[in-house]
Amino acid sequence: MSWSAPLAAGPSSDSVTLDEAADRANNAASWVQENWATWLGTGLRIVLILVIALVLRHVIRRALTKLIDRMNRSVQAVEGSALGGLLVNAERRRQRSEAIGSVLRSVTSFLILGTAALMMLGALNINLAPLLASAGVAGVALGFGARNLVTDFLSGVFMILEDQYGVGDTIDAGVASGEVIEVGLRVTKLRGDNGEIWYVRNGEVKRIGNLSQGWATAGVDVMVRPTEDLENVRTVIAGVAEKMAKDDPWNERLWGPVEVLGLDAVLLDSMTVRLSAKTMPGQALGVERELRWRIKRAFDEAGIQIVGGLLPAAETPAATADPAAGVSAPSALASPTSPQSLAAAPITQPANLAK
């Protein structure tokens, strides 16, 4: 009896379990059969969105790369010409084009992949409103936390797009000055006059003075004696300027004739003649030094004396030596009858006090 009850109960419990399993399997199969088309359509839609996004991103990035390479090749071709050294800086153009290309590629990737991600989430029937709201709040928080970085980046982007300066330019950025050796989206690297390297954040630059764009002005002041003939001085300077404008390499560095502006100052001991010339950017100091050198040599040949500072005082003949100059004045103590000698004599002691 003890073995018959469990044996009798066993088959009924097993049949219930099998029936439930069969029902569940049938339900699952029917659910899959009803929704497999939806799953397949959603999966194919997501795959199609992803493939289109990747292909579009690859095509646009490749087109941007080819465009930048073509710009660099054109710059290198012009660099070998006569005007290449004046108008084109290959390294500057290369870094500028690379920076612009990097920005454009990054923006393209962000827009295409971001749009594709939102479309895939929408294909999965996910509500995008809370996600976009959260992304907006996170973006605002990130913007406040990294506002200096964002400012530097945006300033670098606009600086490169506007071509405010580039590699090889000499600039005055306010916080530092020197020659630009590297341009980045966040930091600009300068080399100072003494060889030091300055790292300037683009967001910290409030004003920029580019000394390598347009043209420069060379100014020279020549001081001569007030007795010199001004017409002779003008003729000598004009001859020096005409000869310098024909010699290499000054014929390329001088972009205009050397002009005698006239007398800048007239003093009792000197006159100042001012000269001015329009030069190639960054070559004003070299033109000024060469112009002073040639003017000095020409003035020496013409007998014109250049005055610098105060004139030396004229020498006067030495006065006749006074024989009494080395003799000291007589002293009042030399005479024993003088009041000074009597006042300095010792007082004699009375005779009665001596006893």
Side-chain angles (χ1 to χ4, degrees):
M1 295 296 293
S2 63
W3 293 96
S4 60
L7 290 175
S12 62
S13 62
D14 291 341
S15 63
V16 172
T17 304
L18 292 175
D19 292 340
E20 291 179 354
D23 293 339
R24 292 176 181 177
N26 292 332
N27 293 333
S30 60
W31 184 75
V32 171
Q33 186 177 3
E34 292 175 358
N35 296 283
W36 72 270
T38 304
W39 293 347
L40 182 60
T42 303
L44 291 177
R45 185 177 178 183
I46 292 175
V47 171
L48 183 62
I49 292 173
L50 183 60
V51 170
I52 293 176
L54 293 178
V55 171
L56 184 61
R57 174 178 175 271
H58 176 73
V59 170
I60 295 179
R61 288 174 63 93
R62 186 177 181 84
L64 292 174
T65 303
K66 288 185 177 180
L67 178 61
I68 292 171
D69 293 340
R70 183 178 302 174
M71 293 172 57
N72 291 334
R73 286 196 300 268
S74 63
V75 168
Q76 293 174 0
V78 177
E79 187 183 14
S81 62
L83 296 178
L86 300 178
L87 304 179
V88 177
N89 186 319
E91 180 64 19
R92 167 182 177 173
R93 300 298 182 185
R94 186 192 66 80
Q95 287 201 11
R96 180 170 178 261
S97 60
E98 290 292 340
I100 294 176
S102 176
V103 173
L104 293 178
R105 285 192 292 265
S106 299
V107 172
T108 301
S109 299
F110 177 77
L111 292 178
I112 294 177
L113 296 181
T115 304
L118 293 178
M119 293 177 65
M120 288 187 290
L121 292 177
L124 295 174
N125 296 325
I126 297 177
N127 189 7
L128 299 180
L131 182 62
L132 294 178
S134 301
V137 173
V140 172
L142 182 62
F144 277 107
R147 58 184 180 275
N148 291 333
L149 182 62
V150 175
T151 302
D152 296 340
F153 181 81
L154 293 179
S155 299
V157 170
F158 284 106
M159 179 270 299
I160 292 175
L161 292 177
E162 296 172 359
D163 194 19
Q164 298 177 6
Y165 56 84
V167 175
D169 288 352
T170 301
I171 66 171
D172 180 4
V175 294
S177 60
E179 181 182 357
V180 180
I181 59 177
E182 185 177 343
V183 178
L185 293 177
R186 192 182 68 87
V187 174
T188 296
K189 188 184 297 185
L190 305 177
R191 184 178 298 277
D193 297 334
N194 298 324
E196 68 275 12
I197 302 283
W198 297 99
Y199 294 88
V200 181
R201 289 171 44 198
N202 296 328
E204 296 294 328
V205 179
K206 304 302 180 184
R207 62 164 179 84
I208 297 174
N210 196 325
L211 307 180
S212 300
Q213 290 182 355
W215 47 269
T217 301
V220 176
D221 291 336
V222 181
M223 299 178 63
V224 297
R225 294 179 301 181
T227 57
E228 297 291 345
D229 186 4
L230 291 178
E231 293 299 329
N232 186 26
V233 172
R234 183 190 294 271
T235 302
V236 173
I237 293 176
V240 170
E242 183 178 358
K243 186 176 184 303
M244 182 176 175
K246 297 178 181 179
D247 295 342
D248 292 330
W250 309 109
N251 53 358
E252 295 181 356
R253 299 179 183 178
L254 280 172
W255 286 8
V258 179
E259 300 179 357
V260 180
L261 301 181
L263 288 177
D264 189 64
V266 179
L267 303 177
L268 294 177
D269 53 0
S270 66
M271 295 186 302
T272 303
V273 181
R274 170 156 295 185
L275 315 178
S276 177
K278 185 180 294 186
T279 69
M280 181 191 303
Q283 301 295 330
L285 292 179
V287 172
E288 291 175 359
R289 295 188 183 102
E290 183 67 17
L291 194 58
R292 292 190 188 97
W293 182 284
R294 293 176 180 245
I295 290 176
K296 177 62 171 65
R297 293 181 59 182
F299 278 8
D300 291 343
E301 295 176 359
I304 301 175
Q305 183 179 355
I306 295 180
V307 179
L310 297 177
L311 291 175
E315 295 183 359
T316 57
T320 305
D322 187 4
V327 180
S328 61
S331 175
L333 298 176
S335 176
T337 59
S338 63
Q340 290 81 1
S341 297
L342 295 177
I347 300 175
T348 58
Q349 186 177 7
N352 55 356
L353 293 178
K355 295 180 179 182

